[in-house]
Amino acid sequence: MTAPAELLAVATEIAREAGDLARRRRSEGVAIAATKSALADIVTEADQEVEHLIRERLAAARPGDGFFGEESAPSASETGVTWVIDPIDGTVNYAAGIGNYAVSIAAVTGPVDPASWTAQAGVVYAPALGECFHATRGGGAWRGETRLRVSESSPAGALLGTGFGYDPATHAGDLATVAAVMPIARDLRRMGAAALDLSYVAAGRLDGYVERGLQPWDVAAGALLVTEAGGRLSQWEREERRRLFIAGGVSVHDEIVRLLAPKA
Ligand code: LIP
C-alpha cells in the first residue's frame, strides 16, 4: 500500500494545476458568454475539461488506480487505490462568478462507497480564494502549513452550514432538515460548495454542517479533513439517493444527530 503522504503529494500537485485551469477558463468564459449567452455550456465544458486533465495526470502518475469522478465513466482499481474527484464543486457559484468553488481530489481504499471506503488522502483547493486544505489518514488536517482543529463550541449558538439540492422537488425536505436543527443555531450559512463546507468545519469556521443528497465526490476529501481535525461525521441512507451527511465538532455533531434521529 502506498503511504498516504505519497498519495497526497500526487493529489496536491494535480489539484493545483486543475484549479488554476478552472479559474482561467472562468475568466475567459465570462467574455465569451457575454457575446454568446452560453455560460451554462462554458461551465459544463470547463467541468469536463478539468476532470479530463485530472484523469490524465492521475493515469500518468498512478497507472492501475481506479477512478470515480462526477463527469466521466468510472474505472475499476487494480492497485486497491481509487481516486474520487469533483473537478469543480460549487458549479452554481462558479457559473455566477462567486469564488466559493473548489477542486476536490481524494484517494480511497476499499469499496467505492463513502459509507465503507477508507480515505487515505484528500485535497480541497479553492483557486479563487487561494486556499488549499489537505489531510492524510493519521496525519492530521491542514490549510497550507497550518494544522486544523474543529471548533469545540457547545451546540447552543452554533454557526451551522447546509446546502440544498439543485432539483426544486427536493427543497421542502431540505428545508425541513434545516428547520429541525435551527433551534441550536446562532446563524446558518449556505455557501454552495460541500467540499469547502466540510473544509470549513475542519478549520473551525463552521461549528456544524448538515446536508441531504450529497454525492460521493462532494464529500470524499472533505470528510477526511473533518475527522483528521478531530471532528465527527455521520451519514444516513434514510431516503433513496438523499443520503444525509452530518459533520461537526463532537458536541455539535452529536446534538444534530439527536435532533434529526427518527422519533420513536
Ligand atoms: C454541489 C454542492 C453544493 C450542494 C449541491 C451539489 P456540484 O456540488 O457542493 O453545495 O448543495 O447539492 O452537490 O454539483 O457543484 O459539484
Side-chain angles (χ1 to χ4, degrees):
M1 211 347 253
T2 315
E6 259 178 69
L7 297 170
L8 179 68
V10 171
T12 306
E13 192 183 333
I14 296 174
R16 285 193 176 274
E17 186 183 355
D20 294 341
L21 172 65
R23 192 178 186 198
R24 208 163 57 244
R25 287 289 179 264
R26 180 65 184 78
S27 53
E28 292 163 2
V30 173
I32 299 167
T35 55
K36 285 194 185 166
S37 53
L39 191 54
D41 291 346
I42 285 156
V43 169
T44 308
E45 275 167 30
D47 238 339
Q48 289 167 353
E49 188 186 0
V50 173
E51 181 156 316
H52 184 72
L53 174 99
I54 295 170
R55 197 165 188 159
E56 263 190 4
R57 295 287 185 270
L58 284 172
R62 302 267 323 163
D65 286 356
F67 186 90
F68 188 49
E70 182 170 18
E71 301 293 335
S72 56
S75 63
S77 180
E78 294 160 16
T79 62
V81 174
T82 298
W83 294 91
V84 185
I85 308 302
D86 193 342
I88 302 177
D89 182 49
T91 39
V92 172
N93 281 345
Y94 183 76
I98 298 170
N100 210 73
Y101 64 88
V103 175
S104 175
I105 299 182
V108 307
T109 51
V112 187
D113 176 339
S116 38
W117 66 39
T118 304
Q120 302 291 338
V123 183
V124 177
Y125 173 49
L129 307 178
E131 291 199 303
C132 187
F133 299 88
H134 54 95
T136 49
R137 190 164 77 91
W142 303 79
R143 177 173 46 79
E145 305 287 301
T146 306
R147 181 111 194 213
L148 302 179
R149 186 77 212 155
V150 292
S151 97
E152 280 164 18
S153 120
S154 67
L159 180 60
L160 300 181
T162 192
F164 299 92
Y166 295 153
D167 176 0
T170 62
H171 290 167
D174 294 343
L175 286 166
T177 303
V178 168
V181 300
M182 279 313 274
I184 64 164
R186 168 167 45 117
D187 204 343
L188 180 74
R189 295 288 177 271
R190 193 293 189 248
M191 289 181 283
L196 281 170
D197 292 329
L198 291 166
S199 302
Y200 295 169
V201 170
R205 295 173 180 174
L206 290 173
D207 301 312
Y209 174 72
V210 60
E211 180 162 353
R212 294 157 78 232
L214 292 172
Q215 301 298 322
W217 43 80
D218 296 324
V219 297
L224 180 65
L225 276 150
V226 171
T227 52
E228 285 295 326
R232 274 193 190 152
L233 190 114
S234 296
Q235 38 186 309
W236 299 341
E237 188 81 67
R238 284 207 303 232
E239 294 160 81
E240 210 185 328
R241 302 184 55 231
R242 301 297 297 156
R243 196 187 299 231
L244 176 74
F245 282 84
I246 299 165
V250 172
S251 58
V252 173
H253 164 277
D254 291 358
E255 182 60 11
I256 296 175
V257 166
R258 196 187 67 76
L259 290 167
L260 294 177
K263 304 287 174 264

